[in-house]
Amino acid sequence: MHVEIVTPDKKVFEGEADGVQLPGTLGSFEVLKNHAPIISTLNKGKVRVRTGKDAQFFEITGGLVEVLHNKVIVLAESVVA
Protein backbone atom coordinates (compact mmCIF):
# COMPACT_ATOMS: atom_id res chain seq x y z
CA MET A 1 0.00 0.00 0.00
CA HIS A 2 1.13 3.56 -0.64
CA VAL A 3 1.96 5.74 2.39
CA GLU A 4 2.51 9.49 2.63
CA ILE A 5 3.38 11.48 5.75
CA VAL A 6 2.90 15.19 5.18
CA THR A 7 3.31 18.28 7.39
CA PRO A 8 2.25 21.84 6.48
CA ASP A 9 5.89 22.49 5.48
CA LYS A 10 6.96 19.38 3.57
CA LYS A 11 6.43 15.74 2.62
CA VAL A 12 8.31 13.70 5.25
CA PHE A 13 7.82 10.22 3.75
CA GLU A 14 6.40 8.68 0.60
CA GLY A 15 6.65 5.03 -0.37
CA GLU A 16 5.23 1.53 -0.27
CA ALA A 17 4.68 -0.26 3.05
CA ASP A 18 3.26 -3.48 4.47
CA GLY A 19 1.76 -1.80 7.52
CA VAL A 20 1.48 1.49 9.39
CA GLN A 21 1.03 1.76 13.16
CA LEU A 22 -0.54 5.03 14.32
CA PRO A 23 -1.17 6.80 17.65
CA GLY A 24 -4.96 7.23 17.40
CA THR A 25 -6.88 9.48 19.77
CA LEU A 26 -8.64 6.43 21.26
CA GLY A 27 -5.53 4.25 21.18
CA SER A 28 -2.87 2.90 18.89
CA PHE A 29 -3.99 1.02 15.78
CA GLU A 30 -2.43 -0.53 12.68
CA VAL A 31 -3.42 -0.27 9.04
CA LEU A 32 -2.62 -3.18 6.71
CA LYS A 33 -3.20 -3.74 2.99
CA ASN A 34 -6.90 -3.73 1.99
CA HIS A 35 -7.94 -1.97 5.21
CA ALA A 36 -11.45 -0.53 5.22
CA PRO A 37 -11.69 3.21 4.52
CA ILE A 38 -11.17 5.30 7.65
CA ILE A 39 -10.47 8.85 8.77
CA SER A 40 -9.12 9.28 12.31
CA THR A 41 -7.54 11.92 14.52
CA LEU A 42 -4.04 11.26 15.81
CA ASN A 43 -2.39 12.11 19.12
CA LYS A 44 1.23 12.90 19.78
CA GLY A 45 3.28 9.72 19.36
CA LYS A 46 5.21 7.45 17.02
CA VAL A 47 4.14 6.43 13.55
CA ARG A 48 5.77 3.16 12.51
CA VAL A 49 5.99 2.41 8.79
CA ARG A 50 6.83 -1.26 8.23
CA THR A 51 8.30 -2.64 5.01
CA GLY A 52 9.16 -6.32 5.27
CA LYS A 53 11.53 -6.75 8.21
CA ASP A 54 12.49 -3.05 8.26
CA ALA A 55 10.63 -0.23 10.00
CA GLN A 56 10.92 3.55 10.03
CA PHE A 57 9.66 5.68 12.91
CA PHE A 58 8.32 9.24 12.83
CA GLU A 59 7.47 11.17 16.01
CA ILE A 60 4.41 13.35 15.30
CA THR A 61 2.73 16.00 17.45
CA GLY A 62 -0.80 15.07 16.32
CA GLY A 63 -2.85 15.22 13.15
CA LEU A 64 -5.19 13.18 10.95
CA VAL A 65 -4.99 10.01 8.89
CA GLU A 66 -7.05 8.98 5.86
CA VAL A 67 -7.07 5.42 4.52
CA LEU A 68 -8.73 4.82 1.15
CA HIS A 69 -8.05 2.31 -1.65
CA ASN A 70 -4.70 1.08 -0.18
CA LYS A 71 -3.42 4.64 0.21
CA VAL A 72 -2.60 6.00 3.68
CA ILE A 73 -2.16 9.75 4.05
CA VAL A 74 -0.96 11.06 7.42
CA LEU A 75 -1.47 14.79 7.80
CA ALA A 76 0.80 15.57 10.75
CA GLU A 77 0.89 18.87 12.61
CA SER A 78 4.68 18.45 12.76
CA VAL A 79 7.33 15.75 12.86
CA VAL A 80 9.90 15.96 15.66
CA ALA A 81 13.46 15.40 14.43
Side-chain angles (χ1 to χ4, degrees):
M1 79 186 141
H2 189 75
V3 179
E4 292 182 24
I5 301 175
V6 181
T7 68
D9 300 327
K10 63 183 176 180
K11 189 177 289 187
V12 179
F13 175 86
E14 182 174 11
E16 296 298 312
D18 296 326
V20 181
Q21 191 172 23
L22 301 152
T25 304
L26 298 176
S28 179
F29 64 98
E30 187 167 12
V31 175
L32 301 172
K33 188 174 181 182
N34 296 322
H35 195 284
I38 184 174
I39 294 176
S40 178
T41 55
L42 301 173
N43 279 342
K44 180 179 179 179
K46 288 185 180 174
V47 174
R48 183 183 88 179
V49 179
R50 185 174 46 82
T51 307
K53 295 179 183 178
D54 297 327
Q56 293 185 48
F57 294 88
F58 303 90
E59 184 76 30
I60 65 168
T61 58
L64 298 169
V65 63
E66 178 187 44
V67 179
L68 184 64
H69 303 299
N70 282 321
K71 185 171 184 180
V72 179
I73 301 175
V74 177
L75 302 172
E77 293 171 6
S78 66
V79 174
V80 180

